[in-house]
Amino acid sequence: MTAHGWGLDVPNEIVHELAAATSVGAVGHVGPDGDALGSILGLTLAARAAGKQAYATFGEPFTLTENFDYLDRSTLVAPGEFPEGLDVVVACDTAARSRLGSVADRAETAKRLIVVDHHRSNGGFGDLEWIDPEAAATAQMIFHLLRRLEWPIDRPAATALYTGIITDTGRFQYSSTTPEVHHIAAELLAAGVRQDLVAEKLFEEAPFGYYRVVSNVMGRAVLEAEIGLVWSVLYHADLEEAGIRYEDTDGLIDLVRIAREAGVACLLKERDSGLIKGSLRSRGRIDVAAIAAIFGGGGHHNAAGFTFAGTVDEAMAKVRAALS
Ligand code: 5GP
Ligand code: MN
C-alpha cells in the first residue's frame, strides 16, 4: 500500500480540530454530485453518531434529484438554516470558494474552515487544507478521516461514502480505481451498504420524460472528427417539454461522450438564468480541466466543467480554439 495507507496521510491538525469540536458542519459545491453529497452526509452522519452537533448543506438552488432519495439526509439543512459560528466547517469536494455559492459566507463564520478535496486545481480557501488529487473521490478522503477520528461509520454514513466513491469512479471503471478504493468499498459493504439498491437508484432510474430529453440531446449531437470533438446542447425548452428538472440530467454527458471518433466530449446546458453550464470529458490525451480553466472553471484531467455567460456558438468557438 502506498502513501494512501489507510489514512496515514490525513493531516494531524485536521484530525485534532475535528476531534475537539462540539459542532461540525459540512458544505459541498453547488449542484452537488454523488461525491459532494456523499462526503458531506458521510462526515456529518458520523459526526452525529460520535456525539457532535452536525449540519450539512450546499448552496442554492437547494434541490436534489430523487435518485438520491435513498440517502439519509437527516443532517441536511437548507443553506439559510446552516448555523453560523460552528466550531469546524469542512468544505468537501469544492475546488474553489466560488463553488460554494450562497453558503460561502456562512461557512466562513466557522471558527475553523477546513478544505478536503481531490481537485488538482484547488488553490485552497480555508484555514486548513487537505487536497489530494490522487484520491478517486473526496468520499475516500472522508473515509480515511473518519477512521483516524475513530468516529462510527454506520450503515447510513457508509451508504453516503459509497455513493461518493461509486459515482466519482464511474462505478469502479476509471483509472483512479486503485486496490485501495476496492478495499474501502469492501469495508463500506461490510458496514451494511446495499450496493444493489444504491446502483439501481443511481444508475437504473429516471423519470420517463428523460427519454425525450435524451432523444433531443443525442439527436442534435455534432461530431467534429478533425479535432476529435463530439458535442451537444441541452436547451431549457427540452426540460419544459419533457417535464423534468435540471437535476435529472447529470447522466447526459456520459451518453454524449460515447462516440469512438472523439477524444473530447462537451455538453452545454442552458440554465434558466440564461447562463450556460458546460461539461467536458476526455478519453485521456487532452486535459479538459485546462479547457474549463479558460472559462474560469475547473475539475479533473478527464472531467471538468464551467459556467459561461454567452451563447452556445461563443462557447463552442472557445472549446474548438482550445482543441485546435
Ligand atoms: P460536471 O461536468 O459533472 O458538472 O463536473 C465535472 C467536474 O468538473 C467535477 O469534478 C466538478 O467539480 C468540476 N466542475 C464542474 N463545473 C465546474 C465549475 O464551474 N468550476 C469548477 N472549478 N469546477 C467545475
Ligand atoms: Mn469529487
Side-chain angles (χ1 to χ4, degrees):
M1 208 137 291
T2 63
H4 286 274
W6 304 102
L8 294 177
D9 50 354
V10 183
N12 292 327
E13 252 191 300
I14 292 181
V15 176
H16 294 149
E17 288 290 344
L18 280 161
T22 303
S23 55
V24 173
V27 291
H29 61 75
V30 289
D33 58 6
D35 191 27
L37 187 63
S39 295
I40 62 172
L41 293 179
L43 176 61
T44 51
L45 290 168
R48 197 178 59 187
K52 318 278 183 189
Q53 296 165 37
Y55 309 89
T57 195
F58 58 87
E60 265 121 13
F62 187 65
T63 55
L64 290 171
T65 161
E66 285 163 44
N67 295 75
F68 288 133
D69 278 358
Y70 66 91
L71 289 166
D72 181 338
R73 286 150 294 158
S74 57
T75 52
L76 191 67
V77 297
E81 280 147 33
F82 189 75
E84 298 195 345
L86 292 171
D87 290 336
V88 175
V89 166
V90 184
C92 299
D93 200 45
T94 304
R97 184 191 187 278
S98 61
R99 295 273 291 154
L100 287 176
S102 63
V103 293
D105 290 344
R106 229 164 237 263
E108 282 181 345
T109 67
K111 297 191 186 100
R112 279 275 185 281
L113 178 63
I114 297 175
V115 171
V116 176
D117 185 29
H118 69 136
H119 292 92
R120 196 176 296 279
S121 63
N122 195 323
F125 54 91
D127 303 309
L128 292 170
E129 273 118 24
W130 178 29
I131 294 155
D132 182 356
E134 303 295 316
T138 301
Q140 178 184 1
M141 303 172 71
I142 298 293
F143 174 87
H144 287 313
L145 182 57
L146 296 178
R147 278 283 187 261
R148 280 288 304 279
L149 284 160
E150 298 180 14
W151 289 359
I153 304 179
D154 57 9
R155 184 203 296 235
T159 302
L161 296 178
Y162 186 87
T163 296
I165 290 171
I166 197 173
T167 51
D168 261 31
T169 60
R171 312 187 216 183
F172 304 108
Q173 39 179 21
Y174 303 153
S175 60
S176 56
T177 311
T178 57
E180 187 205 309
V181 168
H182 282 291
H183 278 293
I184 294 172
E187 291 220 16
L188 297 174
L189 293 196
V193 174
R194 284 290 306 273
Q195 85 280 7
D196 53 337
L197 299 184
V198 172
E200 185 182 346
K201 286 296 295 182
L202 283 178
F203 306 117
E204 309 291 343
E205 197 189 290
F208 183 66
Y210 187 62
Y211 294 23
R212 176 59 63 87
V213 168
V214 169
S215 162
N216 287 347
V217 169
M218 296 304 277
R220 65 173 78 99
V222 178
L223 176 68
E224 301 189 21
E226 348 50 88
I227 54 171
L229 171 71
V230 65
W231 65 276
S232 191
V233 189
L234 169 75
Y235 293 108
H236 188 65
D238 294 327
L239 299 180
E240 285 183 339
E241 178 193 342
I244 71 164
R245 301 182 307 160
Y246 180 83
E247 290 75 30
D248 291 316
T249 64
D250 271 6
L252 279 176
I253 183 63
D254 292 329
L255 299 174
V256 173
R257 70 174 176 170
I258 283 175
R260 173 178 289 142
E261 297 85 347
V264 170
C266 178
L267 176 63
L268 301 180
K269 295 177 173 181
E270 192 183 61
R271 303 304 319 266
D272 38 14
S273 58
L275 296 172
I276 288 175
K277 172 75 188 16
S279 285
L280 293 162
R281 298 293 185 269
S282 170
R283 289 192 184 274
R285 199 174 61 78
I286 294 184
D287 177 10
V288 288
I291 301 178
I294 296 169
F295 294 88
H300 307 283
H301 184 100
N302 286 351
F306 59 85
T307 300
F308 179 65
T311 66
V312 166
D313 286 349
E314 286 162 357
M316 287 316 301
K318 281 162 87 95
V319 171
R320 263 181 223 110
L323 283 174
S324 32

